[in-house]
């Protein structure tokens, strides 16, 4: 795809960090690695840059963005932290956790990035390249995953280039990410809510809170004026090829997304087989998930059949993304 802009790709390093900070300050769009997935960053205080960001992704503007900051004092200028939020921030930042909190007074994040909500999503990423860019830029950076809206999130710079070349200014290539699924999102309301399972397992959060995380109400992703989890539209992560879950045998011409060492009946007639983790490791499976889905989606298979994945640890996030992939595009 080329929509006119020259998209520069730079290997991570001092020159790329400086170029990224300069581009952000000039209102540009910069893709960079975080430990979860690649993000597409814009200056959180620059409405014009944020408008371009929504356009570049083809993202509906009612779906708000996560503000990324380098340290907790910057986070406190953006949002109000109660005791629960403070405990989670201390336990897990920097890391794959996003907190949805009430906005601070004079919150520097532009209204457009928070879709007019009274709350703001915020996180301190752990990836050294993201941290260098945040430090060099100095302000908060809003960053959704650096994919076209409706595609799976990018876990390599090549995925970003495939989706967004010609639409953004710079891609900082820091290699493949480590976690592979997006951050876990917790809404810090009276009862803390798990808004999105992700790269930080639920059990670790519940251990710090000393209580179970509630689920958002079933209509939280409806089109109501102030949805609790506006980005959790059912078909958010869909490949073009139909996805069939919990496969126990393979139909001819299907692609197989396998997990573990067990082989399925019918595998001989598979169009292609990719394994999330032959040794059944859920962290490895999360890291491979989006890359494998993207690769299988290019094979013109009848469907992508997916073997069952256990639901513990990162399995909850993997199964969440797989269910969304199976709903298909609207
Ligand atoms: O790992 C991640 O979180 C990555 C990296 C780049 O940081 N970012 C990411 O952003 O996944 P995005 O935009 O693809 O997903 C952010 C989610 C969306 O579902 C959005 O609706 C939700 O966060 N969100 C943002 N602000 C919110 C708010 N105030 N209340 C509820 N949900 C919110
Ligand atoms: Mg996304």
């Amino acid at each position: 795809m080329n929509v006119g802009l020259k998209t520069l790709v730079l290997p991570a390093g001092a020159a790329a960090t400086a170029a990224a900070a300069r581009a952000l300050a000039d209102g540009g769009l910069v893709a960079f690695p975080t430990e979860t997935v690649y993000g597409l960053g814009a200056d959180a205080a620059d409405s014009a840059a944020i408008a371009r960001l929504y356009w570049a992704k083809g993202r509906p503007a009612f779906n708000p963005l996560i503000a990324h900051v380098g340290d907790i004092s910057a986070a406190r200028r953006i949002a109000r932290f109660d005791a629960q939020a403070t405990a989670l921030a201390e336990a897990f930042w920097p890391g794959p956790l996003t907190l949805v909190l009430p906005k601070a007074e004079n919150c520097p994040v532009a209204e457009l990035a928070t879709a007019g909500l009274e709350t703001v999503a915020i996180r301190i990423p752990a990836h050294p390249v993201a941290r260098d860019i945040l430090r060099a830029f100095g302000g908060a950076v809003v960053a959704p995953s650096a994919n076209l809206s409706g595609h799976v999130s990018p876990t390599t710079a090549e995925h970003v280039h495939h989706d967004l070349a010609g639409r953004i200014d710079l891609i900082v290539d820091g290699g493949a990410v480590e976690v592979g699924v997006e951050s876990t999102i917790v809404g810090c309301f009276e009862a803390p809510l798990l808004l999105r399972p992700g790269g930080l397992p639920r059990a670790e959060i519940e251990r710090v809170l000393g209580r179970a995380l509630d689920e958002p109400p079933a209509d939280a992703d409806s089109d109501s004026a102030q949805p609790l989890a506006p980005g959790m539209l059912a078909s958010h992560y869909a490949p073009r090829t139909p996805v069939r879950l919990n496969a126990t045998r393979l139909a001819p011409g299907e692609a197989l997304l396998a997990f573990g060492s067990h082989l399925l009946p019918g595998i001989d007639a598979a169009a292609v087989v990719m394994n999330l983790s032959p040794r059944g490791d859920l962290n490895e499976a999360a890291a491979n998930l989006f890359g494998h889905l993207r690769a299988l989606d290019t094979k013109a298979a009848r469907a992508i059949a997916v073997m069952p994945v256990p639901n513990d640890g990162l399995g909850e996030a993997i199964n969440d993304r797989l269910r969304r992939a199976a709903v298909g595009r609207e």
Side-chain angles (χ1 to χ4, degrees):
M1 170 176 315
N2 195 321
V3 195
L5 218 65
K6 170 105 184 68
T7 300
L8 192 63
V9 182
L10 293 175
T17 301
R22 220 168 26 242
L24 290 168
D26 289 345
L29 303 179
V30 178
F32 58 88
T34 81
E35 72 278 26
T36 56
V37 299
Y38 273 72
L40 178 60
D43 177 355
D46 183 340
S47 301
I50 295 164
R52 284 181 58 221
L53 191 159
Y54 279 103
W55 167 82
K57 273 186 63 95
R59 176 169 172 130
F62 60 75
N63 189 2
L65 307 174
I66 299 171
H68 294 64
V69 293
D71 58 52
I72 188 78
S73 58
R76 288 185 188 283
R77 285 194 288 278
I78 290 174
R80 296 205 303 274
F81 285 71
D82 63 7
Q84 272 176 168
T86 302
L88 292 177
E90 280 174 357
F92 299 118
W93 280 352
L97 172 69
T98 294
L99 298 176
V100 171
L101 302 169
K103 280 181 176 171
E105 234 172 286
N106 304 317
C107 173
V109 177
E111 283 280 328
L112 183 56
T114 55
L117 298 172
E118 292 306 313
T119 55
V120 58
I122 184 162
R123 103 176 174 94
I124 302 181
H127 197 292
V129 173
R131 297 180 64 70
D132 285 348
I133 291 172
L134 287 168
R135 197 176 309 117
F137 174 60
V141 171
V142 285
S145 50
N147 52 279
L148 285 174
S149 189
H151 284 195
V152 295
S153 293
T155 55
T156 65
E158 289 73 35
H159 295 161
V160 179
H161 194 269
H162 178 269
D163 274 21
L164 296 176
R167 296 175 166 254
I168 67 177
D169 299 284
L170 174 63
I171 300 171
V172 179
D173 185 352
V177 303
E178 198 182 314
V179 178
V181 291
E182 304 86 344
S183 60
T184 302
I185 305 183
V186 173
C188 293
F189 310 116
E190 296 94 281
L193 292 182
L194 182 65
L195 294 176
R196 176 176 76 182
L200 181 65
R202 168 203 290 271
E204 292 191 34
I205 299 169
E206 293 182 336
R207 193 165 58 234
V208 167
L209 290 175
R211 60 176 292 174
L213 286 164
D214 282 358
E215 303 296 327
D219 62 353
D221 62 357
S222 73
D223 302 337
S224 62
Q226 295 248 313
L228 265 177
M232 300 314 284
L233 303 173
S235 70
H236 200 67
Y237 297 92
R240 274 169 292 266
T241 313
V243 172
R244 185 167 76 77
L245 299 182
N246 295 317
T248 51
R249 63 170 22 262
L250 211 61
E254 282 186 325
L256 176 63
L257 186 58
F259 177 83
S261 56
H262 170 76
L263 296 183
L264 285 193
I267 196 168
D268 295 341
V272 51
V273 178
M274 294 186 85
N275 201 320
L276 289 170
S277 173
R279 60 193 160 98
D281 178 304
L282 288 166
N283 294 343
E284 181 182 38
N288 285 329
L289 177 65
F290 291 143
H292 282 14
L293 280 175
R294 276 181 188 259
L296 293 178
D297 202 18
T298 65
K299 306 292 184 193
R302 281 175 53 191
I304 300 171
V306 186
M307 285 173 66
V309 174
N311 210 46
D312 39 60
L314 290 194
E316 186 177 8
I318 294 170
N319 283 316
D320 172 81
R321 304 308 187 269
L322 286 171
R323 272 194 303 277
R324 290 171 200 288
V327 170
R329 301 283 186 85
E330 268 149 18

